[in-house]
Amino acid sequence: MSIVADEENNFKKTDINRKNPVVKPETLESDKTFENTIRPKSFDAYIGQSALKETLKITIAAAQKRQQPLDHLLFYGPPGLGKTTLAGVIAAQMGVDIKITSAPALERPRDIIGILMSLKGGEILFIDEIHRLNKIAEEILYPAMEDFYLDMTTGKGQSVKTLRLPIPKFTLIGATTKAGALSGPLRDRFGIIHRLEFYTDDELAKVVSRTAGILNIEVDKEGAYAIASRSRGTPRIANRLVKRVADFALVKADGKITKDIAVDALDTLKIDKCGLDTTDRNLLMLIIEKYNGGPVGIETLAAALGEDVRTLEDVCEPYLLQAGLLQRTPRGRMVTAYALEHLGIANSGISVQTSLF
Ligand code: ADE
């Protein structure tokens, strides 16, 4: 359950246990090697999140001057924006190892105790999906985070004894798509809390060019922008699309990704100009056609689409909200006038409500 950076700072990941994998744009096992190959390993190579990077560089420099581990950090934001990658960059910058796990893999007390006891001084422990940590694991974590010890109990009944076991000073980096789902006491134990933002098309075009370079794929500027503009502000999606479009370029042309090739490939993959795929469009069309534009509850939508509520909330919705295609109201989800325009049904005669009032 760990990633360890070797001398070249290549992160070797083993076993992240995801019980309920969310398919898009969460990481699938088969994508992990690919992601690891193209993962930036320094702040210079890491594109985007510039304000956050500047703050982190100062925080790291200060910790190094004090010869202290970094404060515990919490990163939150939609999946695929580079939370794990950033944790790896921080570890490389600090010159320490990082152990990577996720909350669903820490089901039993001995899972979290084992990993805490295996840490060496200054090391980073990265826990993904930290909002899914169970109560017992959380309570083991509190004294470990605050004062670097574990409270262990031995014996049974009247002969029960508590043992205070010191552990080396470490830094916890937690990542979550749902900061609001974290318990108050856990959130309060993070010294630094940051939100990761969606990427601009300019930033994503740089990600596309960088990834293509690593994979020896030729892409021109317009080709990179065409992929970037349909990547939902998310580098993980941009990187996946580079590979898909490269396949297309190889089979249908001379292997070079140009704007025409990228547009043709993405249209064929049914990824539209806003980066929406069939699931996103089905979600919007369902609200429009069956619920007159909304409001409608997320559970109803999930049941009608045969999707998991969590997938819709964590994966589909953040981008639809950010892009101004969907709105959340106290009475449920509603489409926006822009969604009608985007889907080409603004003047279709379908009766749709886009406002509660
Ligand atoms: N690949 C994924 N995220 C990236 C980022 N922020 N910068 C460069 N390459 C990336």
Side-chain angles (χ1 to χ4, degrees):
M1 255 182 293
S2 67
I3 277 194
V4 180
D6 64 16
E7 291 99 80
E8 281 103 40
N9 280 328
N10 293 312
F11 304 115
K12 284 176 252 144
K13 194 184 282 197
T14 59
D15 183 37
I16 286 197
N17 172 4
R18 287 177 200 283
K19 271 195 168 164
N20 299 302
V22 181
V23 174
K24 181 197 79 179
E26 283 278 344
T27 321
L28 299 171
E29 286 299 323
S30 58
D31 289 333
K32 297 236 176 92
T33 329
F34 165 64
E35 284 209 1
N36 234 13
T37 314
I38 57 167
R39 222 183 257 287
K41 278 125 193 150
S42 67
F43 280 118
D44 285 344
Y46 189 100
I47 295 154
Q49 312 294 345
S50 38
L52 171 55
K53 273 196 321 191
E54 287 320 303
T55 320
L56 286 173
K57 282 186 199 167
I58 305 257
T59 311
I60 291 171
Q64 283 175 326
K65 270 198 163 174
R66 287 191 200 105
Q67 297 189 311
Q68 288 283 328
L70 269 185
D71 261 0
H72 304 303
L73 278 153
L74 179 69
F75 292 144
Y76 69 97
L81 299 189
K83 297 186 276 292
T84 314
T85 304
L86 201 51
V89 168
I90 292 171
Q93 186 79 22
M94 292 286 292
V96 298
D97 281 348
I98 176 166
K99 290 206 161 80
I100 300 200
T101 186
S102 74
L106 303 173
E107 211 174 334
R108 301 158 304 179
R110 70 165 186 246
D111 298 323
I112 180 107
I113 290 171
I115 204 158
L116 286 168
M117 287 185 65
S118 75
L119 293 172
K120 297 189 195 78
E123 268 186 6
I124 292 178
L125 171 61
F126 179 84
I127 305 184
D128 203 6
E129 301 187 71
I130 195 155
H131 62 278
R132 295 176 69 189
L133 215 54
N134 64 47
K135 202 81 222 119
I136 296 174
E138 260 192 31
E139 272 167 18
I140 293 169
L141 207 49
Y142 294 157
M145 287 175 79
E146 227 161 331
D147 298 312
F148 305 105
Y149 70 81
L150 295 174
D151 262 337
M152 315 276 271
T153 48
T154 56
K156 275 194 182 142
Q158 293 209 319
S159 59
V160 104
K161 282 200 184 101
T162 30
L163 204 72
R164 201 154 261 206
L165 206 68
I167 54 169
K169 288 190 177 173
F170 70 102
T171 298
L172 176 67
I173 303 184
T176 178
T177 49
K178 286 188 166 178
L182 231 67
S183 75
L186 182 57
R187 202 172 41 238
D188 291 346
R189 283 171 170 85
F190 286 97
I192 306 164
I193 300 183
H194 280 295
R195 180 190 151 86
L196 272 79
E197 305 290 345
F198 281 114
Y199 289 59
T200 63
D201 286 356
D202 280 351
E203 289 165 346
L204 285 181
K206 286 187 192 148
V207 171
V208 167
S209 299
R210 176 183 177 274
T211 301
I214 295 171
L215 301 178
N216 262 328
I217 295 165
E218 221 188 319
V219 59
D220 67 18
K221 209 171 167 199
E222 287 76 28
Y225 265 90
I227 297 177
S229 65
R230 297 191 188 197
S231 296
R232 311 165 64 98
T234 307
R236 186 181 291 158
I237 295 181
N239 287 334
R240 286 219 195 121
L241 293 181
V242 172
K243 283 211 299 183
R244 295 288 70 79
V245 176
D247 292 348
F248 214 85
L250 193 62
V251 175
K252 289 232 184 174
D254 58 359
K256 180 173 173 178
I257 300 178
T258 59
K259 181 179 175 188
D260 286 350
I261 288 284
V263 168
D264 195 7
L266 295 166
D267 283 348
T268 308
L269 292 167
K270 301 210 177 334
I271 295 166
D272 70 22
K273 288 196 175 67
C274 273
L276 308 194
D277 64 13
T278 314
T279 314
D280 302 311
R281 283 190 299 271
N282 285 348
L283 173 70
L284 295 174
M285 287 308 292
L286 177 69
I287 303 177
I288 292 167
E289 289 178 338
K290 293 272 188 320
Y291 301 96
N292 300 324
V296 53
I298 191 76
E299 286 83 9
T300 309
L301 293 171
L305 291 167
E307 287 281 358
D308 185 49
V309 171
R310 219 162 55 82
T311 308
L312 293 187
E313 277 186 343
D314 298 354
V315 180
C316 293
E317 276 195 350
Y319 182 71
L320 294 175
L321 292 165
Q322 144 99 14
L325 293 156
L326 187 74
Q327 43 188 334
R328 254 190 204 150
T329 75
R331 286 167 45 206
R333 274 59 174 176
M334 292 185 84
V335 293
T336 61
Y338 176 48
L340 300 185
E341 194 185 309
H342 174 68
L343 295 167
I345 47 177
N347 300 309
S348 65
I350 301 177
S351 140
V352 176
Q353 186 174 309
T354 56
S355 161
L356 275 180
F357 309 105

